[in-house]
Amino acid sequence: MSQTDSPSRARRADAERNRDKILAAARAAFANPEVEISMAEISRRAGVGMATLYRNFPGRRELLEALYTDEVDAVCDAAGILEPETPGVLLLAWLHRFFAFFTSKRQVGAELLKHSEGSVPVMGESRARVLAAGRPLLVAAQRSHEVREDLTLEQVLDMIVAVASIHGESDYLEPILQTTLDGLRLPTDIEPT
Amino acid sequence: MSQTDSPSRARRADAERNRDKILAAARAAFANPEVEISMAEISRRAGVGMATLYRNFPGRRELLEALYTDEVDAVCDAAGILEPETPGVLLLAWLHRFFAFFTSKRQVGAELLKHSEGSVPVMGESRARVLAAGRPLLVAAQRSHEVREDLTLEQVLDMIVAVASIHGESDYLEPILQTTLDGLRLPTDIEPT
């Protein structure tokens, strides 16, 4: 029996806590791609019963989609909450965040593809959401002449994704990322005309 | 009967011409990845008999390897024959050449992988040859302070390959390539310290 004045509110809070515990356990489990973690193991690590796990996430795919969507949410939110010194600095900080998302997301993304039959609608939607979140940042940074104007956001993000897809540890990738970002904010008048 | 004073030399010249004709026909054939071209069709387009084709290239794989190796040769040679205004300009011109090689090579490379059982020794060797050809260029460009020093040649080439692997037409990829190359030659003191 709940101690609060509203048993249904307490139930909702319980349900939300369980959902968060499951997602946290799943996120930690998928962080190590070497080991294939079962739904039973995720339920054990989250400290919730199998019934609760399956009530929240009918299958592995739904669980992966929720993780993926959470990460996309975080990237989109970051476009609003980063400390904006100048528009250019804001854009570059956000692109760093996107890079980090993409390198970590790859595991969840790869798992998600394995457990789906070809198309994964949530992935297409998330690209659209990320583009919508980043668009004002690029426009502002280009307007303030901190960032070159010959690239669209699609091209910028494809560039970051390409670097994130290079095989290597983060200390191998980081200088490559930095090079591309430096190229982005290069004043276009460095080239003799 | 040959008219020259050395029939065997004439035969060798004939054989070389045939080989060149086959490679040219195959190169043109593989340039369109939509259409799968048969060995018989390549022999027809090259204007040589099937016996001659198979004497030169026992199978599709050998033909693809020869094409691939020819392209790697051209990239490596370019490291020596490009007009060297400054070490930095030379390096960037060569990286452009490498990018062009890699975007065109992908078709031959993909075909080669299809017709091999997993490992393709010629690919591993060609990476080593390209690294050997480019190394002096990067060292010289870094010494002349035209190019940043925090990247190795492996990182530079991985970056170019990553951009070349982005899905898109050349006018979509070109500004992305330019951005990464601009980042490469960015003076390291642009960052406030």
Side-chain angles (χ1 to χ4, degrees), chain A residues 148 151 154-155 158 172 175 179 182-183 185-186 191, chain B residues 148 154-155 158 172 175 179 182-183 185-186 191:
Chain A
R148 63 196 297 151
L151 293 187
E154 285 79 356
Q155 286 168 310
D158 279 352
Y172 185 82
T179 299
D182 285 346
R185 69 204 175 84
L186 192 78
E191 192 80 58
Chain B
R148 63 197 296 150
E154 284 80 356
Q155 286 168 310
D158 279 353
Y172 185 83
T179 299
D182 285 346
R185 69 203 174 85
L186 192 78
E191 192 80 59

mmCIF file with all atom_site columns, all heavy atoms in Angstrom, chain A residues 148 151 154-155 158 172 175 179 182-183 185-186 191, chain B residues 148 154-155 158 172 175 179 182-183 185-186 191:
data_model
loop_
_atom_site.group_PDB
_atom_site.id
_atom_site.type_symbol
_atom_site.label_atom_id
_atom_site.label_alt_id
_atom_site.label_comp_id
_atom_site.label_asym_id
_atom_site.label_entity_id
_atom_site.label_seq_id
_atom_site.pdbx_PDB_ins_code
_atom_site.Cartn_x
_atom_site.Cartn_y
_atom_site.Cartn_z
_atom_site.occupancy
_atom_site.B_iso_or_equiv
_atom_site.pdbx_formal_charge
_atom_site.auth_seq_id
_atom_site.auth_comp_id
_atom_site.auth_asym_id
_atom_site.auth_atom_id
_atom_site.pdbx_PDB_model_num
ATOM 1   N N   . ARG A 1 148 ? 32.419 28.653 -42.365 1.00 0.00 ? 148 ARG A N   1
ATOM 2   C CA  . ARG A 1 148 ? 32.329 28.768 -43.820 1.00 0.00 ? 148 ARG A CA  1
ATOM 3   C C   . ARG A 1 148 ? 30.894 28.548 -44.302 1.00 0.00 ? 148 ARG A C   1
ATOM 4   O O   . ARG A 1 148 ? 30.115 27.844 -43.656 1.00 0.00 ? 148 ARG A O   1
ATOM 5   C CB  . ARG A 1 148 ? 33.287 27.799 -44.491 1.00 0.00 ? 148 ARG A CB  1
ATOM 6   C CG  . ARG A 1 148 ? 32.972 26.339 -44.193 1.00 0.00 ? 148 ARG A CG  1
ATOM 7   C CD  . ARG A 1 148 ? 34.136 25.440 -44.539 1.00 0.00 ? 148 ARG A CD  1
ATOM 8   N NE  . ARG A 1 148 ? 34.430 25.468 -45.959 1.00 0.00 ? 148 ARG A NE  1
ATOM 9   C CZ  . ARG A 1 148 ? 35.657 25.264 -46.463 1.00 0.00 ? 148 ARG A CZ  1
ATOM 10  N NH1 . ARG A 1 148 ? 36.671 25.028 -45.645 1.00 0.00 ? 148 ARG A NH1 1
ATOM 11  N NH2 . ARG A 1 148 ? 35.858 25.285 -47.759 1.00 0.00 ? 148 ARG A NH2 1
ATOM 12  N N   . LEU A 1 151 ? 28.969 24.921 -47.038 1.00 0.00 ? 151 LEU A N   1
ATOM 13  C CA  . LEU A 1 151 ? 28.460 23.613 -46.644 1.00 0.00 ? 151 LEU A CA  1
ATOM 14  C C   . LEU A 1 151 ? 27.054 23.735 -46.061 1.00 0.00 ? 151 LEU A C   1
ATOM 15  O O   . LEU A 1 151 ? 26.770 24.669 -45.322 1.00 0.00 ? 151 LEU A O   1
ATOM 16  C CB  . LEU A 1 151 ? 29.356 22.969 -45.573 1.00 0.00 ? 151 LEU A CB  1
ATOM 17  C CG  . LEU A 1 151 ? 30.774 22.533 -45.926 1.00 0.00 ? 151 LEU A CG  1
ATOM 18  C CD1 . LEU A 1 151 ? 31.380 21.768 -44.758 1.00 0.00 ? 151 LEU A CD1 1
ATOM 19  C CD2 . LEU A 1 151 ? 30.804 21.679 -47.168 1.00 0.00 ? 151 LEU A CD2 1
ATOM 20  N N   . GLU A 1 154 ? 23.518 19.176 -43.789 1.00 0.00 ? 154 GLU A N   1
ATOM 21  C CA  . GLU A 1 154 ? 23.609 17.771 -44.196 1.00 0.00 ? 154 GLU A CA  1
ATOM 22  C C   . GLU A 1 154 ? 25.067 17.391 -44.473 1.00 0.00 ? 154 GLU A C   1
ATOM 23  O O   . GLU A 1 154 ? 25.538 16.327 -44.046 1.00 0.00 ? 154 GLU A O   1
ATOM 24  C CB  . GLU A 1 154 ? 22.768 17.509 -45.457 1.00 0.00 ? 154 GLU A CB  1
ATOM 25  C CG  . GLU A 1 154 ? 21.272 17.454 -45.234 1.00 0.00 ? 154 GLU A CG  1
ATOM 26  C CD  . GLU A 1 154 ? 20.620 18.838 -45.119 1.00 0.00 ? 154 GLU A CD  1
ATOM 27  O OE1 . GLU A 1 154 ? 21.352 19.865 -45.131 1.00 0.00 ? 154 GLU A OE1 1
ATOM 28  O OE2 . GLU A 1 154 ? 19.382 18.893 -45.006 1.00 0.00 ? 154 GLU A OE2 1
ATOM 29  N N   . GLN A 1 155 ? 25.769 18.271 -45.169 1.00 0.00 ? 155 GLN A N   1
ATOM 30  C CA  . GLN A 1 155 ? 27.167 17.989 -45.481 1.00 0.00 ? 155 GLN A CA  1
ATOM 31  C C   . GLN A 1 155 ? 28.028 17.991 -44.217 1.00 0.00 ? 155 GLN A C   1
ATOM 32  O O   . GLN A 1 155 ? 28.903 17.142 -44.049 1.00 0.00 ? 155 GLN A O   1
ATOM 33  C CB  . GLN A 1 155 ? 27.702 19.006 -46.494 1.00 0.00 ? 155 GLN A CB  1
ATOM 34  C CG  . GLN A 1 155 ? 27.168 18.756 -47.914 1.00 0.00 ? 155 GLN A CG  1
ATOM 35  C CD  . GLN A 1 155 ? 27.455 19.913 -48.854 1.00 0.00 ? 155 GLN A CD  1
ATOM 36  O OE1 . GLN A 1 155 ? 27.167 21.063 -48.529 1.00 0.00 ? 155 GLN A OE1 1
ATOM 37  N NE2 . GLN A 1 155 ? 28.014 19.620 -50.010 1.00 0.00 ? 155 GLN A NE2 1
ATOM 38  N N   . ASP A 1 158 ? 27.210 14.772 -42.299 1.00 0.00 ? 158 ASP A N   1
ATOM 39  C CA  . ASP A 1 158 ? 27.782 13.616 -42.998 1.00 0.00 ? 158 ASP A CA  1
ATOM 40  C C   . ASP A 1 158 ? 29.292 13.542 -42.770 1.00 0.00 ? 158 ASP A C   1
ATOM 41  O O   . ASP A 1 158 ? 29.858 12.450 -42.634 1.00 0.00 ? 158 ASP A O   1
ATOM 42  C CB  . ASP A 1 158 ? 27.489 13.694 -44.506 1.00 0.00 ? 158 ASP A CB  1
ATOM 43  C CG  . ASP A 1 158 ? 26.079 13.206 -44.835 1.00 0.00 ? 158 ASP A CG  1
ATOM 44  O OD1 . ASP A 1 158 ? 25.399 12.677 -43.934 1.00 0.00 ? 158 ASP A OD1 1
ATOM 45  O OD2 . ASP A 1 158 ? 25.655 13.350 -45.997 1.00 0.00 ? 158 ASP A OD2 1
ATOM 46  N N   . TYR A 1 172 ? 42.814 8.407  -31.539 1.00 0.00 ? 172 TYR A N   1
ATOM 47  C CA  . TYR A 1 172 ? 43.149 8.392  -32.972 1.00 0.00 ? 172 TYR A CA  1
ATOM 48  C C   . TYR A 1 172 ? 42.170 9.285  -33.744 1.00 0.00 ? 172 TYR A C   1
ATOM 49  O O   . TYR A 1 172 ? 42.563 10.012 -34.656 1.00 0.00 ? 172 TYR A O   1
ATOM 50  C CB  . TYR A 1 172 ? 43.092 6.952  -33.486 1.00 0.00 ? 172 TYR A CB  1
ATOM 51  C CG  . TYR A 1 172 ? 43.539 6.765  -34.931 1.00 0.00 ? 172 TYR A CG  1
ATOM 52  C CD1 . TYR A 1 172 ? 44.884 6.660  -35.264 1.00 0.00 ? 172 TYR A CD1 1
ATOM 53  C CD2 . TYR A 1 172 ? 42.610 6.686  -35.960 1.00 0.00 ? 172 TYR A CD2 1
ATOM 54  C CE1 . TYR A 1 172 ? 45.295 6.492  -36.584 1.00 0.00 ? 172 TYR A CE1 1
ATOM 55  C CE2 . TYR A 1 172 ? 43.006 6.522  -37.289 1.00 0.00 ? 172 TYR A CE2 1
ATOM 56  C CZ  . TYR A 1 172 ? 44.353 6.421  -37.589 1.00 0.00 ? 172 TYR A CZ  1
ATOM 57  O OH  . TYR A 1 172 ? 44.755 6.262  -38.895 1.00 0.00 ? 172 TYR A OH  1
ATOM 58  N N   . PRO A 1 175 ? 42.036 13.987 -33.213 1.00 0.00 ? 175 PRO A N   1
ATOM 59  C CA  . PRO A 1 175 ? 42.702 14.988 -34.061 1.00 0.00 ? 175 PRO A CA  1
ATOM 60  C C   . PRO A 1 175 ? 42.090 15.083 -35.458 1.00 0.00 ? 175 PRO A C   1
ATOM 61  O O   . PRO A 1 175 ? 42.131 16.149 -36.080 1.00 0.00 ? 175 PRO A O   1
ATOM 62  C CB  . PRO A 1 175 ? 44.152 14.471 -34.155 1.00 0.00 ? 175 PRO A CB  1
ATOM 63  C CG  . PRO A 1 175 ? 44.308 13.491 -33.040 1.00 0.00 ? 175 PRO A CG  1
ATOM 64  C CD  . PRO A 1 175 ? 42.953 12.903 -32.795 1.00 0.00 ? 175 PRO A CD  1
ATOM 65  N N   . THR A 1 179 ? 40.570 18.477 -36.985 1.00 0.00 ? 179 THR A N   1
ATOM 66  C CA  . THR A 1 179 ? 40.973 18.995 -38.305 1.00 0.00 ? 179 THR A CA  1
ATOM 67  C C   . THR A 1 179 ? 39.755 19.409 -39.117 1.00 0.00 ? 179 THR A C   1
ATOM 68  O O   . THR A 1 179 ? 39.724 20.499 -39.711 1.00 0.00 ? 179 THR A O   1
ATOM 69  C CB  . THR A 1 179 ? 41.772 17.905 -39.060 1.00 0.00 ? 179 THR A CB  1
ATOM 70  O OG1 . THR A 1 179 ? 42.945 17.577 -38.310 1.00 0.00 ? 179 THR A OG1 1
ATOM 71  C CG2 . THR A 1 179 ? 42.179 18.384 -40.444 1.00 0.00 ? 179 THR A CG2 1
ATOM 72  N N   . ASP A 1 182 ? 38.242 22.519 -37.582 1.00 0.00 ? 182 ASP A N   1
ATOM 73  C CA  . ASP A 1 182 ? 39.065 23.691 -37.892 1.00 0.00 ? 182 ASP A CA  1
ATOM 74  C C   . ASP A 1 182 ? 38.822 24.130 -39.331 1.00 0.00 ? 182 ASP A C   1
ATOM 75  O O   . ASP A 1 182 ? 38.768 25.335 -39.623 1.00 0.00 ? 182 ASP A O   1
ATOM 76  C CB  . ASP A 1 182 ? 40.556 23.370 -37.688 1.00 0.00 ? 182 ASP A CB  1
ATOM 77  C CG  . ASP A 1 182 ? 40.938 23.320 -36.209 1.00 0.00 ? 182 ASP A CG  1
ATOM 78  O OD1 . ASP A 1 182 ? 40.131 23.792 -35.375 1.00 0.00 ? 182 ASP A OD1 1
ATOM 79  O OD2 . ASP A 1 182 ? 42.020 22.814 -35.887 1.00 0.00 ? 182 ASP A OD2 1
ATOM 80  N N   . GLY A 1 183 ? 38.672 23.156 -40.215 1.00 0.00 ? 183 GLY A N   1
ATOM 81  C CA  . GLY A 1 183 ? 38.388 23.490 -41.614 1.00 0.00 ? 183 GLY A CA  1
ATOM 82  C C   . GLY A 1 183 ? 37.058 24.192 -41.757 1.00 0.00 ? 183 GLY A C   1
ATOM 83  O O   . GLY A 1 183 ? 36.876 25.070 -42.604 1.00 0.00 ? 183 GLY A O   1
ATOM 84  N N   . ARG A 1 185 ? 35.669 26.222 -39.566 1.00 0.00 ? 185 ARG A N   1
ATOM 85  C CA  . ARG A 1 185 ? 35.648 27.611 -39.123 1.00 0.00 ? 185 ARG A CA  1
ATOM 86  C C   . ARG A 1 185 ? 36.749 28.431 -39.766 1.00 0.00 ? 185 ARG A C   1
ATOM 87  O O   . ARG A 1 185 ? 36.974 29.571 -39.402 1.00 0.00 ? 185 ARG A O   1
ATOM 88  C CB  . ARG A 1 185 ? 35.761 27.682 -37.594 1.00 0.00 ? 185 ARG A CB  1
ATOM 89  C CG  . ARG A 1 185 ? 37.071 27.273 -37.025 1.00 0.00 ? 185 ARG A CG  1
ATOM 90  C CD  . ARG A 1 185 ? 36.919 26.830 -35.584 1.00 0.00 ? 185 ARG A CD  1
ATOM 91  N NE  . ARG A 1 185 ? 38.157 26.312 -35.061 1.00 0.00 ? 185 ARG A NE  1
ATOM 92  C CZ  . ARG A 1 185 ? 39.124 27.058 -34.557 1.00 0.00 ? 185 ARG A CZ  1
ATOM 93  N NH1 . ARG A 1 185 ? 38.983 28.351 -34.454 1.00 0.00 ? 185 ARG A NH1 1
ATOM 94  N NH2 . ARG A 1 185 ? 40.228 26.506 -34.128 1.00 0.00 ? 185 ARG A NH2 1
ATOM 95  N N   . LEU A 1 186 ? 37.397 27.807 -40.751 1.00 0.00 ? 186 LEU A N   1
ATOM 96  C CA  . LEU A 1 186 ? 38.427 28.551 -41.468 1.00 0.00 ? 186 LEU A CA  1
ATOM 97  C C   . LEU A 1 186 ? 37.788 29.744 -42.174 1.00 0.00 ? 186 LEU A C   1
ATOM 98  O O   . LEU A 1 186 ? 36.815 29.598 -42.888 1.00 0.00 ? 186 LEU A O   1
ATOM 99  C CB  . LEU A 1 186 ? 39.062 27.635 -42.517 1.00 0.00 ? 186 LEU A CB  1
ATOM 100 C CG  . LEU A 1 186 ? 40.323 28.148 -43.151 1.00 0.00 ? 186 LEU A CG  1
ATOM 101 C CD1 . LEU A 1 186 ? 41.499 27.946 -42.221 1.00 0.00 ? 186 LEU A CD1 1
ATOM 102 C CD2 . LEU A 1 186 ? 40.566 27.425 -44.456 1.00 0.00 ? 186 LEU A CD2 1
ATOM 103 N N   . GLU A 1 191 ? 42.230 31.665 -48.639 1.00 0.00 ? 191 GLU A N   1
ATOM 104 C CA  . GLU A 1 191 ? 42.650 31.323 -50.008 1.00 0.00 ? 191 GLU A CA  1
ATOM 105 C C   . GLU A 1 191 ? 42.957 32.604 -50.771 1.00 0.00 ? 191 GLU A C   1
ATOM 106 O O   . GLU A 1 191 ? 42.113 33.493 -50.841 1.00 0.00 ? 191 GLU A O   1
ATOM 107 C CB  . GLU A 1 191 ? 41.508 30.573 -50.686 1.00 0.00 ? 191 GLU A CB  1
ATOM 108 C CG  . GLU A 1 191 ? 41.874 29.892 -51.997 1.00 0.00 ? 191 GLU A CG  1
ATOM 109 C CD  . GLU A 1 191 ? 42.574 28.573 -51.762 1.00 0.00 ? 191 GLU A CD  1
ATOM 110 O OE1 . GLU A 1 191 ? 41.992 27.700 -51.100 1.00 0.00 ? 191 GLU A OE1 1
ATOM 111 O OE2 . GLU A 1 191 ? 43.713 28.430 -52.243 1.00 0.00 ? 191 GLU A OE2 1
ATOM 112 N N   . ARG B 1 148 ? 49.371 21.123 -40.478 1.00 0.00 ? 148 ARG B N   1
ATOM 113 C CA  . ARG B 1 148 ? 49.392 20.856 -39.042 1.00 0.00 ? 148 ARG B CA  1
ATOM 114 C C   . ARG B 1 148 ? 50.193 19.584 -38.737 1.00 0.00 ? 148 ARG B C   1
ATOM 115 O O   . ARG B 1 148 ? 50.283 18.672 -39.565 1.00 0.00 ? 148 ARG B O   1
ATOM 116 C CB  . ARG B 1 148 ? 47.979 20.753 -38.491 1.00 0.00 ? 148 ARG B CB  1
ATOM 117 C CG  . ARG B 1 148 ? 47.184 19.596 -39.067 1.00 0.00 ? 148 ARG B CG  1
ATOM 118 C CD  . ARG B 1 148 ? 45.705 19.772 -38.822 1.00 0.00 ? 148 ARG B CD  1
ATOM 119 N NE  . ARG B 1 148 ? 45.378 19.742 -37.416 1.00 0.00 ? 148 ARG B NE  1
ATOM 120 C CZ  . ARG B 1 148 ? 44.347 20.397 -36.871 1.00 0.00 ? 148 ARG B CZ  1
ATOM 121 N NH1 . ARG B 1 148 ? 43.554 21.119 -37.635 1.00 0.00 ? 148 ARG B NH1 1
ATOM 122 N NH2 . ARG B 1 148 ? 44.103 20.308 -35.594 1.00 0.00 ? 148 ARG B NH2 1
ATOM 123 N N   . GLU B 1 154 ? 48.569 8.131  -41.700 1.00 0.00 ? 154 GLU B N   1
ATOM 124 C CA  . GLU B 1 154 ? 47.457 7.173  -41.575 1.00 0.00 ? 154 GLU B CA  1
ATOM 125 C C   . GLU B 1 154 ? 46.160 7.918  -41.250 1.00 0.00 ? 154 GLU B C   1
ATOM 126 O O   . GLU B 1 154 ? 45.107 7.630  -41.822 1.00 0.00 ? 154 GLU B O   1
ATOM 127 C CB  . GLU B 1 154 ? 47.752 6.151  -40.462 1.00 0.00 ? 154 GLU B CB  1
ATOM 128 C CG  . GLU B 1 154 ? 48.762 5.077  -40.822 1.00 0.00 ? 154 GLU B CG  1
ATOM 129 C CD  . GLU B 1 154 ? 50.205 5.551  -40.717 1.00 0.00 ? 154 GLU B CD  1
ATOM 130 O OE1 . GLU B 1 154 ? 50.449 6.757  -40.425 1.00 0.00 ? 154 GLU B OE1 1
ATOM 131 O OE2 . GLU B 1 154 ? 51.116 4.716  -40.916 1.00 0.00 ? 154 GLU B OE2 1
ATOM 132 N N   . GLN B 1 155 ? 46.250 8.869  -40.334 1.00 0.00 ? 155 GLN B N   1
ATOM 133 C CA  . GLN B 1 155 ? 45.053 9.628  -39.965 1.00 0.00 ? 155 GLN B CA  1
ATOM 134 C C   . GLN B 1 155 ? 44.575 10.496 -41.129 1.00 0.00 ? 155 GLN B C   1
ATOM 135 O O   . GLN B 1 155 ? 43.374 10.586 -41.389 1.00 0.00 ? 155 GLN B O   1
ATOM 136 C CB  . GLN B 1 155 ? 45.328 10.494 -38.727 1.00 0.00 ? 155 GLN B CB  1
ATOM 137 C CG  . GLN B 1 155 ? 45.390 9.670  -37.437 1.00 0.00 ? 155 GLN B CG  1
ATOM 138 C CD  . GLN B 1 155 ? 45.944 10.458 -36.264 1.00 0.00 ? 155 GLN B CD  1
ATOM 139 O OE1 . GLN B 1 155 ? 46.997 11.085 -36.381 1.00 0.00 ? 155 GLN B OE1 1
ATOM 140 N NE2 . GLN B 1 155 ? 45.249 10.431 -35.141 1.00 0.00 ? 155 GLN B NE2 1
ATOM 141 N N   . ASP B 1 158 ? 42.984 8.146  -43.700 1.00 0.00 ? 158 ASP B N   1
ATOM 142 C CA  . ASP B 1 158 ? 41.698 7.645  -43.195 1.00 0.00 ? 158 ASP B CA  1
ATOM 143 C C   . ASP B 1 158 ? 40.618 8.723  -43.299 1.00 0.00 ? 158 ASP B C   1
ATOM 144 O O   . ASP B 1 158 ? 39.456 8.438  -43.598 1.00 0.00 ? 158 ASP B O   1
ATOM 145 C CB  . ASP B 1 158 ? 41.825 7.185  -41.732 1.00 0.00 ? 158 ASP B CB  1
ATOM 146 C CG  . ASP B 1 158 ? 42.423 5.777  -41.629 1.00 0.00 ? 158 ASP B CG  1
ATOM 147 O OD1 . ASP B 1 158 ? 42.598 5.123  -42.675 1.00 0.00 ? 158 ASP B OD1 1
ATOM 148 O OD2 . ASP B 1 158 ? 42.713 5.335  -40.511 1.00 0.00 ? 158 ASP B OD2 1
ATOM 149 N N   . TYR B 1 172 ? 28.558 17.217 -54.119 1.00 0.00 ? 172 TYR B N   1
ATOM 150 C CA  . TYR B 1 172 ? 28.192 17.175 -52.701 1.00 0.00 ? 172 TYR B CA  1
ATOM 151 C C   . TYR B 1 172 ? 29.447 16.908 -51.863 1.00 0.00 ? 172 TYR B C   1
ATOM 152 O O   . TYR B 1 172 ? 29.629 17.496 -50.789 1.00 0.00 ? 172 TYR B O   1
ATOM 153 C CB  . TYR B 1 172 ? 27.157 16.061 -52.476 1.00 0.00 ? 172 TYR B CB  1
ATOM 154 C CG  . TYR B 1 172 ? 26.599 15.982 -51.067 1.00 0.00 ? 172 TYR B CG  1
ATOM 155 C CD1 . TYR B 1 172 ? 25.555 16.814 -50.669 1.00 0.00 ? 172 TYR B CD1 1
ATOM 156 C CD2 . TYR B 1 172 ? 27.098 15.066 -50.149 1.00 0.00 ? 172 TYR B CD2 1
ATOM 157 C CE1 . TYR B 1 172 ? 25.040 16.745 -49.380 1.00 0.00 ? 172 TYR B CE1 1
ATOM 158 C CE2 . TYR B 1 172 ? 26.583 14.985 -48.855 1.00 0.00 ? 172 TYR B CE2 1
ATOM 159 C CZ  . TYR B 1 172 ? 25.544 15.826 -48.483 1.00 0.00 ? 172 TYR B CZ  1
ATOM 160 O OH  . TYR B 1 172 ? 25.037 15.761 -47.208 1.00 0.00 ? 172 TYR B OH  1
ATOM 161 N N   . PRO B 1 175 ? 32.974 20.053 -51.468 1.00 0.00 ? 175 PRO B N   1
ATOM 162 C CA  . PRO B 1 175 ? 33.151 21.043 -50.382 1.00 0.00 ? 175 PRO B CA  1
ATOM 163 C C   . PRO B 1 175 ? 33.523 20.384 -49.047 1.00 0.00 ? 175 PRO B C   1
ATOM 164 O O   . PRO B 1 175 ? 34.203 21.010 -48.230 1.00 0.00 ? 175 PRO B O   1
ATOM 165 C CB  . PRO B 1 175 ? 31.769 21.712 -50.274 1.00 0.00 ? 175 PRO B CB  1
ATOM 166 C CG  . PRO B 1 175 ? 31.061 21.385 -51.543 1.00 0.00 ? 175 PRO B CG  1
ATOM 167 C CD  . PRO B 1 175 ? 31.594 20.070 -52.004 1.00 0.00 ? 175 PRO B CD  1
ATOM 168 N N   . THR B 1 179 ? 36.880 21.248 -47.027 1.00 0.00 ? 179 THR B N   1
ATOM 169 C CA  . THR B 1 179 ? 36.863 21.624 -45.612 1.00 0.00 ? 179 THR B CA  1
ATOM 170 C C   . THR B 1 179 ? 37.939 20.868 -44.833 1.00 0.00 ? 179 THR B C   1
ATOM 171 O O   . THR B 1 179 ? 38.686 21.456 -44.047 1.00 0.00 ? 179 THR B O   1
ATOM 172 C CB  . THR B 1 179 ? 35.470 21.318 -45.011 1.00 0.00 ? 179 THR B CB  1
ATOM 173 O OG1 . THR B 1 179 ? 34.494 22.091 -45.715 1.00 0.00 ? 179 THR B OG1 1
ATOM 174 C CG2 . THR B 1 179 ? 35.417 21.664 -43.531 1.00 0.00 ? 179 THR B CG2 1
ATOM 175 N N   . ASP B 1 182 ? 41.353 22.147 -45.856 1.00 0.00 ? 182 ASP B N   1
ATOM 176 C CA  . ASP B 1 182 ? 41.590 23.460 -45.250 1.00 0.00 ? 182 ASP B CA  1
ATOM 177 C C   . ASP B 1 182 ? 41.955 23.293 -43.777 1.00 0.00 ? 182 ASP B C   1
ATOM 178 O O   . ASP B 1 182 ? 42.815 23.997 -43.258 1.00 0.00 ? 182 ASP B O   1
ATOM 179 C CB  . ASP B 1 182 ? 40.349 24.357 -45.387 1.00 0.00 ? 182 ASP B CB  1
ATOM 180 C CG  . ASP B 1 182 ? 40.186 24.891 -46.813 1.00 0.00 ? 182 ASP B CG  1
ATOM 181 O OD1 . ASP B 1 182 ? 41.142 24.791 -47.604 1.00 0.00 ? 182 ASP B OD1 1
ATOM 182 O OD2 . ASP B 1 182 ? 39.097 25.406 -47.126 1.00 0.00 ? 182 ASP B OD2 1
ATOM 183 N N   . GLY B 1 183 ? 41.287 22.364 -43.108 1.00 0.00 ? 183 GLY B N   1
ATOM 184 C CA  . GLY B 1 183 ? 41.601 22.104 -41.710 1.00 0.00 ? 183 GLY B CA  1
ATOM 185 C C   . GLY B 1 183 ? 43.015 21.585 -41.545 1.00 0.00 ? 183 GLY B C   1
ATOM 186 O O   . GLY B 1 183 ? 43.691 21.865 -40.553 1.00 0.00 ? 183 GLY B O   1
ATOM 187 N N   . ARG B 1 185 ? 45.622 22.369 -43.398 1.00 0.00 ? 185 ARG B N   1
ATOM 188 C CA  . ARG B 1 185 ? 46.669 23.378 -43.574 1.00 0.00 ? 185 ARG B CA  1
ATOM 189 C C   . ARG B 1 185 ? 46.426 24.586 -42.677 1.00 0.00 ? 185 ARG B C   1
ATOM 190 O O   . ARG B 1 185 ? 47.103 25.591 -42.798 1.00 0.00 ? 185 ARG B O   1
ATOM 191 C CB  . ARG B 1 185 ? 46.779 23.805 -45.033 1.00 0.00 ? 185 ARG B CB  1
ATOM 192 C CG  . ARG B 1 185 ? 45.628 24.591 -45.570 1.00 0.00 ? 185 ARG B CG  1
ATOM 193 C CD  . ARG B 1 185 ? 45.570 24.469 -47.089 1.00 0.00 ? 185 ARG B CD  1
ATOM 194 N NE  . ARG B 1 185 ? 44.379 25.105 -47.596 1.00 0.00 ? 185 ARG B NE  1
ATOM 195 C CZ  . ARG B 1 185 ? 44.294 26.402 -47.856 1.00 0.00 ? 185 ARG B CZ  1
ATOM 196 N NH1 . ARG B 1 185 ? 45.314 27.194 -47.662 1.00 0.00 ? 185 ARG B NH1 1
ATOM 197 N NH2 . ARG B 1 185 ? 43.171 26.919 -48.302 1.00 0.00 ? 185 ARG B NH2 1
ATOM 198 N N   . LEU B 1 186 ? 45.475 24.443 -41.770 1.00 0.00 ? 186 LEU B N   1
ATOM 199 C CA  . LEU B 1 186 ? 45.225 25.544 -40.859 1.00 0.00 ? 186 LEU B CA  1
ATOM 200 C C   . LEU B 1 186 ? 46.443 25.765 -39.962 1.00 0.00 ? 186 LEU B C   1
ATOM 201 O O   . LEU B 1 186 ? 46.937 24.832 -39.354 1.00 0.00 ? 186 LEU B O   1
ATOM 202 C CB  . LEU B 1 186 ? 44.032 25.188 -39.970 1.00 0.00 ? 186 LEU B CB  1
ATOM 203 C CG  . LEU B 1 186 ? 43.446 26.303 -39.160 1.00 0.00 ? 186 LEU B CG  1
ATOM 204 C CD1 . LEU B 1 186 ? 42.571 27.182 -40.025 1.00 0.00 ? 186 LEU B CD1 1
ATOM 205 C CD2 . LEU B 1 186 ? 42.630 25.731 -38.027 1.00 0.00 ? 186 LEU B CD2 1
ATOM 206 N N   . GLU B 1 191 ? 44.136 28.928 -32.885 1.00 0.00 ? 191 GLU B N   1
ATOM 207 C CA  . GLU B 1 191 ? 43.475 28.740 -31.591 1.00 0.00 ? 191 GLU B CA  1
ATOM 208 C C   . GLU B 1 191 ? 44.094 29.692 -30.562 1.00 0.00 ? 191 GLU B C   1
ATOM 209 O O   . GLU B 1 191 ? 45.294 29.717 -30.384 1.00 0.00 ? 191 GLU B O   1
ATOM 210 C CB  . GLU B 1 191 ? 43.702 27.283 -31.156 1.00 0.00 ? 191 GLU B CB  1
ATOM 211 C CG  . GLU B 1 191 ? 42.862 26.820 -29.975 1.00 0.00 ? 191 GLU B CG  1
ATOM 212 C CD  . GLU B 1 191 ? 41.458 26.466 -30.439 1.00 0.00 ? 191 GLU B CD  1
ATOM 213 O OE1 . GLU B 1 191 ? 41.315 25.587 -31.285 1.00 0.00 ? 191 GLU B OE1 1
ATOM 214 O OE2 . GLU B 1 191 ? 40.512 27.094 -29.913 1.00 0.00 ? 191 GLU B OE2 1
#
